[in-house]
Amino acid sequence: MAEPTSTTLDPADWSALREQGHRMLDDMFDYLEQLRERPVWQQAPADVRAKFQAPLPREGSDIADLHRAFMNDVLPYAVGNAHPAFFGWVHGAGTPVGMLAEMLAAGLNANVGGRDQIPVEVERQVARWMAELFRFPAGASGLFVTGTSMANMIAVLVARRRTLGLEVRDAGLARMGAGLVAYTSAAAHDCIAQALDLTGIGRSALRLIPLDDQYRMDTTALEQAIAADLQAGLRPFFVAATAGTVDTAAIDPLRRVADVAHANGLWFHVDGAFGAMAMLSPDLAPLLDGIDRADSIAFDFHKWAQVPYDAGFVLVRDGELHRQTFAAAPRYLKREPRGMAGGSPWPCDFGPDLSRSFRALKTWFTLQAYGADRMGEAIAGTCALARYLAGEVGRRPAFELLAPVALNIVCFRHKVAGRVSDQDVDDFNAALVADLQEAGIAAPSLTTLKGKVAIRVAIVNHRSERRDIDALLAGLEMLAARRLAI
Ligand SMILES: *Cc1c(COP(=O)(O)O)cnc(C)c1O
């Protein structure tokens, strides 16, 4: 008979692995310290891409070789959102503190679905901090999720449970959901519509309320839409305002939306994916006036709060309602007065995920290492850079601003004097952004505002400085001149 042999995946030689680990850590510190010298982005060459077609390995590899493969074939070809000249979409930059905390969390490998353990307490503490920040009452609940897309969906589910009662969890929408209607602005993120799709209410139940000239929800139009739907015998139940829209960072008039929602008995939700974190800056917080009246807020720590991906969060005013939306008690998750199965309610009682990573730790580290004030200063700093960019765009006759600058996003375009058709100007600007991305100089993205293609610069990164904005503008001018000379 064969001797039982060890099948552990731990190393035979811990000291060799320890050295290897230190080299990996040093490489990431070097990467972060020297970021600005790198191109923001470069497309992976075909031979690098081809390496990722190799079949499942039957034999193990040396971790030093894998580390080298990461340094050569993965790290240089990421999208570059840690780079100070990355201005695309709304991406957070991360911090070295967040990176270290993520390593600690991975080492501990806590499953934060529940049970009596301090990692759950860390998550609860972050939830209490957020309740404090947004002036929510003591009974509020908070939950880490992947991102705001998921957080918005959870808010829709809690609102659905409030409107239709606990019974909806068994009966379902097919029996109880007729006539439900929700509202958001025409500038809302598409994940609001997706949330209605995924929850079975359906995208066609979402009314897209028109915008005012500041790209904010027109609350008179909101009132009219609710009145018309009530008149038609429908059941308005949910309004999602946006604090920081994805196109222009516009903030819906939250206090007014709260008034209209509550006057009509609707759930008032705020999608504050990045914008809600403006609350950390005493200078910016007044712009979010009325957010404290929300029934729920969805936001990301991984955007403006710089926590490494992913770290979405949902905060719900009525924590008991939130729990009743998800809590179930299968026999294998029974709670006990003693032992590890204590400490109820658990995070898994507040959302669809049972196994959950320790996202709270990197957030807990970030908020404490920097403190709320310094985080707020970094956020306010990106808004100051946006104003600087808008000023520089205004001084250059070749460019025009396409939307007011509400926070940290600037939308503008090259006017391309001499090009007569709108299509030509749109194509030119789209090509210019692709040129700039491919040159690795800076990385804005594109959007369309009132039918015009816009160069969209979202400044989310705490590392961005004036020289990065200057490089963006110089790059655009140089590449535009090159294009116009063709
Ligand atoms: C980014 C964003 C979302 C989606 O958030 P994820 O974390 O990517 O799921 C939703 N709404 C707004 C306004 C956003 O900026």
Side-chain angles (χ1 to χ4, degrees):
M1 276 233 291
E3 289 290 304
T5 52
S6 168
T7 54
T8 183
L9 300 175
D10 283 338
D13 178 359
W14 279 97
S15 66
L17 186 67
R18 184 184 298 259
E19 266 178 45
Q20 174 61 38
H22 290 165
R23 278 196 293 277
M24 292 164 116
L25 194 56
D26 278 341
D27 274 352
M28 291 321 285
F29 282 129
D30 287 345
Y31 168 74
L32 292 175
E33 197 179 349
Q34 293 150 22
L35 259 176
R36 198 178 258 104
E37 273 95 80
R38 294 178 158 273
V40 180
W41 175 79
Q42 52 188 338
Q43 194 169 32
D47 62 320
V48 168
R49 210 174 283 272
K51 293 183 190 175
F52 295 87
Q53 301 293 332
L56 175 72
R58 301 296 332 179
E59 302 285 320
S61 301
D62 189 345
I63 184 170
D65 293 339
L66 296 173
H67 176 210
R68 204 168 306 116
F70 170 80
M71 293 308 292
N72 294 336
D73 301 335
V74 179
L75 179 140
Y77 306 110
V79 83
N81 46 297
H83 193 289
F86 181 94
F87 304 119
W89 304 277
V90 184
H91 280 32
T95 65
V97 166
M99 174 181 85
L100 293 172
E102 193 71 317
M103 182 187 71
L104 301 183
L108 187 62
N109 193 27
N111 177 351
V112 194
R115 303 176 184 84
D116 189 356
Q117 56 172 336
I118 289 298
V120 170
E121 213 54 66
V122 172
E123 180 156 347
R124 289 184 184 134
Q125 182 168 36
V126 174
R128 279 192 296 273
W129 287 342
M130 291 304 108
E132 181 187 331
L133 185 67
F134 292 102
R135 297 191 288 272
F136 268 37
S141 52
L143 187 76
F144 275 93
V145 289
T146 41
T148 292
S149 303
M150 180 59 75
N152 283 333
M153 189 184 87
I154 287 176
V156 169
L157 286 167
V158 184
R160 183 194 77 154
R161 183 257 164 268
R162 189 186 66 169
T163 303
L164 301 180
L166 203 48
E167 202 190 331
V168 69
R169 294 189 59 192
D170 291 322
L173 287 176
R175 280 184 25 214
M176 299 187 67
L180 291 179
V181 196
Y183 306 83
T184 195
S185 92
H189 196 280
D190 190 59
C191 65
I192 303 282
Q194 181 188 249
L196 288 157
D197 171 5
L198 296 178
T199 54
I201 296 165
R203 284 176 173 258
S204 66
L206 184 64
R207 308 276 185 261
L208 297 182
I209 304 300
L211 307 174
D212 66 14
D213 58 357
Q214 306 282 303
Y215 293 85
R216 299 173 306 192
M217 186 191 288
D218 175 343
T219 51
T220 306
L222 172 67
E223 274 184 301
Q224 287 164 353
I226 294 172
D229 285 328
L230 287 170
Q231 188 72 37
L234 298 173
R235 285 192 288 175
F237 82 108
F238 181 84
V239 184
T242 307
T245 60
V246 66
D247 283 333
T248 68
I251 301 167
D252 287 339
L254 303 178
R255 187 163 292 283
R256 270 289 291 149
V257 179
D259 287 342
V260 174
H262 290 154
N264 289 282
L266 275 63
W267 185 273
F268 171 44
H269 174 69
V270 175
D271 175 351
F274 67 94
M277 286 290 99
M279 212 63 184
L280 290 167
S281 160
D283 292 342
L284 298 175
L287 297 173
L288 300 178
D289 176 51
I291 199 168
D292 56 331
R293 293 183 54 204
D295 293 301
S296 52
I297 308 174
F299 59 92
D300 286 321
F301 289 110
H302 59 223
K303 289 178 173 172
W304 237 355
Q306 314 296 338
V307 171
Y309 284 91
D310 46 36
F313 202 80
V314 61
L315 190 68
V316 179
R317 173 177 302 276
D318 183 342
E320 178 52 20
L321 199 66
H322 184 187
R323 194 191 63 79
Q324 289 173 9
T325 305
F326 294 97
R331 67 193 182 285
Y332 46 83
L333 292 179
K334 192 160 172 287
R335 313 304 152 90
E336 304 291 348
R338 296 178 48 222
M340 287 161 64
S344 190
W346 295 345
C348 68
D349 299 325
F350 293 87
D353 294 318
L354 176 56
S355 293
R356 301 175 67 255
S357 71
F358 197 2
R359 294 184 183 101
L361 190 70
K362 57 194 174 186
T363 309
W364 189 83
F365 259 82
T366 302
L367 288 170
Q368 292 189 103
Y370 300 108
D373 288 345
R374 195 164 158 210
M375 300 294 302
E377 280 163 25
I379 285 168
T382 63
C383 295
L385 280 181
R387 289 192 297 274
Y388 171 70
L389 172 57
E392 290 299 303
V393 165
R395 293 201 310 111
R396 287 169 164 75
F399 293 105
E400 63 179 334
L401 210 56
L402 289 182
V405 175
L407 286 171
N408 61 330
I409 298 181
V410 184
C411 291
F412 62 103
R413 69 171 183 170
H414 198 290
K415 288 196 281 197
V416 213
R419 305 269 168 132
V420 278
S421 98
D422 290 344
Q423 187 62 47
D424 278 357
V425 179
D426 284 353
D427 292 349
F428 185 92
N429 279 281
L432 201 52
V433 164
D435 288 348
L436 194 67
Q437 291 175 356
E438 285 175 2
I441 300 170
S445 57
L446 291 166
T447 192
T448 304
L449 293 175
K450 297 187 176 151
K452 293 177 179 171
V453 166
I455 301 172
R456 176 180 165 287
V457 175
I459 309 170
V460 188
N461 193 326
H462 59 95
R463 299 187 177 103
S464 302
E465 297 175 4
R466 273 191 184 208
R467 56 178 156 156
D468 302 301
I469 303 295
D470 293 340
L472 163 80
L473 286 165
L476 283 172
E477 284 177 328
M478 184 263 288
L479 293 163
R482 190 179 290 175
R483 242 174 208 287
L484 289 169
I486 295 171

